[in-house]
């Protein structure tokens, strides 16, 4: 996670000596930035962009436009017990420290899901998580004793003081999670913003899967026709000698 503090624009609430008018102007700009980002994501949903490109644009917008220090999207594997990092926007320091500790890249990394993890309720019950226990979040992505021992140190070195995780849904099914980390304390306002973008990420996955099904359907139909044709032809070959003998 990046060590340079950034400030999420979603309702930061750090007014200082700002006038009420200044605060209203800042809030308006924050809302406009979020709307522009949502529009960009919606445009990518109807384009020919790949799923990875769309998900990466979402996490990139959360950090680049909305000011979170880190953002990531983790998708559930088919076994339902592994979260795999699908998209990530974070500083190189985070990536380097992770790779040094695990010997693996973050993108594509599979994290086990287990009841003791703070992520467990997000995945199993769809409950969003807002916490300042960054060490517990890091520990929630591994059951390896060595990595667990590193969690407090890595949390302190990250500069992150608050984390949000929200479920990603396709229909009523939970298909993954999306998280952000910040160098300032995150609030309910930030949670609502992250939930909106989590909804976009879930929609992107759902549309991509439907598109894949539509693309694969003609091939599946053709395969079924070929199989049925072979069955009919085989049946005709068997029936022909029987018909001759009866005659």
């Amino acid at each position: 996670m990046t060590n340079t503090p950034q400030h999420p624009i979603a309702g930061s609430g750090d007014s200082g000596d700002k006038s009420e008018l200044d605060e209203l102007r800042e809030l308006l700009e924050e809302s406009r930035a979020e709307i522009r980002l949502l529009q960009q994501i919606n445009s990518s949903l109807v384009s020919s962009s790949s799923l990875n490109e769309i998900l990466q644009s979402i996490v990139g917008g959360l950090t680049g436009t909305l000011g979170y220090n880190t953002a990531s999207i983790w998708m559930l594997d088919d076994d339902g017990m592994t979260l795999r990092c699908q998209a990530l926007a974070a500083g190189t320091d985070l990536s380097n420290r992770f790779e040094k500790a695990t010997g693996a890249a973050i993108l594509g990394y599979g994290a086990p899901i287990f009841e003791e993890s703070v992520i467990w309720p997000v995945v199993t019950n769809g409950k969003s998580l807002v916490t300042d226990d960054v060490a517990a979040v890091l520990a929630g992505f591994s059951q390896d004793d060595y990595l667990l021992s590193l969690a407090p140190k890595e949390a302190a070195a990250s500069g992150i003081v608050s984390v949000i995780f929200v479920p990603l849904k396709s229909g009523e099914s939970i298909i993954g999670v999306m998280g952000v980390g910040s160098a300032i304390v995150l609030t309910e306002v930030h949670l609502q913003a992250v939930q909106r973008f989590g909804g976009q990420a879930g929609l992107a996955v759902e549309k991509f899967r439907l598109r894949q099904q539509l693309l694969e359907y003609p091939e599946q139909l053709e395969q079924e026709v070929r199989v049925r044709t072979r069955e009919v032809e085989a049946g005709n070959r068997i029936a022909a000698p029987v018909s001759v003998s009866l005659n």
Side-chain angles (χ1 to χ4, degrees):
M1 299 181 183
T2 53
N3 292 318
T4 303
Q6 299 182 41
H7 300 277
I9 64 174
S12 61
D14 185 11
S15 59
D17 296 328
K18 293 178 184 176
S19 68
E20 184 176 350
L21 181 58
D22 288 336
E23 291 181 12
L24 289 173
R25 285 172 176 166
E26 185 176 286
L27 181 60
L28 178 61
E29 182 53 38
E30 293 169 1
S31 299
R32 286 173 174 170
E34 183 177 332
I35 291 171
R36 286 194 297 270
L37 181 55
L38 286 170
Q39 289 173 336
Q40 292 171 8
I41 295 170
N42 285 332
S43 297
S44 67
L45 290 179
V46 297
S47 70
S48 58
S49 301
S50 69
L51 178 60
N52 284 345
E53 289 173 336
I54 296 173
L55 297 183
Q56 194 59 47
S57 71
I58 293 174
V59 295
L62 287 169
T63 56
T65 302
L66 300 189
Y68 295 100
N69 291 70
T70 68
S72 58
I73 291 175
W74 300 72
M75 304 300 301
L76 274 172
D77 279 358
D78 292 339
D79 63 8
M81 296 303 294
T82 304
L83 283 171
R84 197 163 301 278
C85 187
Q86 194 83 16
L88 173 73
T92 55
D93 181 60
L94 170 64
S95 300
N96 292 338
R97 295 174 73 93
F98 181 88
E99 291 180 11
K100 183 178 179 181
T102 65
I106 299 182
L107 280 176
Y109 176 78
I113 302 302
F114 50 99
E115 291 188 28
E116 294 79 11
S117 168
V118 295
I119 306 298
W120 176 264
V122 185
V123 178
T124 58
N125 298 322
K127 294 182 179 179
S128 296
L129 171 70
V130 183
T131 180
D132 59 0
D133 193 345
V134 181
V137 173
L138 294 180
F141 280 89
S142 178
Q143 290 180 297
D144 181 270
D145 290 339
Y146 173 67
L147 295 180
L148 292 175
S149 69
L150 293 178
K153 177 182 177 181
E154 294 300 319
S158 70
I160 300 301
V161 301
S162 195
V163 173
I164 288 175
F165 269 93
V166 300
L168 302 184
K169 294 185 176 182
S170 176
E172 295 300 316
S173 301
I174 297 174
I175 56 176
V177 299
M178 184 173 75
V180 299
S182 176
I184 67 169
V185 175
L186 300 177
T187 66
E188 181 69 23
V189 175
H190 299 108
L191 172 60
Q192 293 174 5
V194 176
Q195 287 174 328
R196 284 191 287 271
F197 286 97
Q200 292 296 305
L203 183 60
V205 175
E206 186 171 8
K207 284 192 172 184
F208 176 81
R209 290 177 176 176
L210 288 173
R211 186 188 306 168
Q212 288 299 109
Q213 291 175 4
L214 289 174
L215 291 174
E216 294 170 359
Y217 179 72
E219 182 178 344
Q220 292 174 350
L221 184 60
E222 184 178 348
Q223 178 66 20
E224 290 175 3
V225 170
R226 286 198 296 266
V227 171
R228 182 57 182 157
T229 299
R230 287 195 294 268
E231 290 174 349
V232 171
E233 290 174 347
N236 289 339
R237 286 194 297 270
I238 294 172
V242 175
S243 178
V244 170
S245 64
L246 290 175
N247 292 332

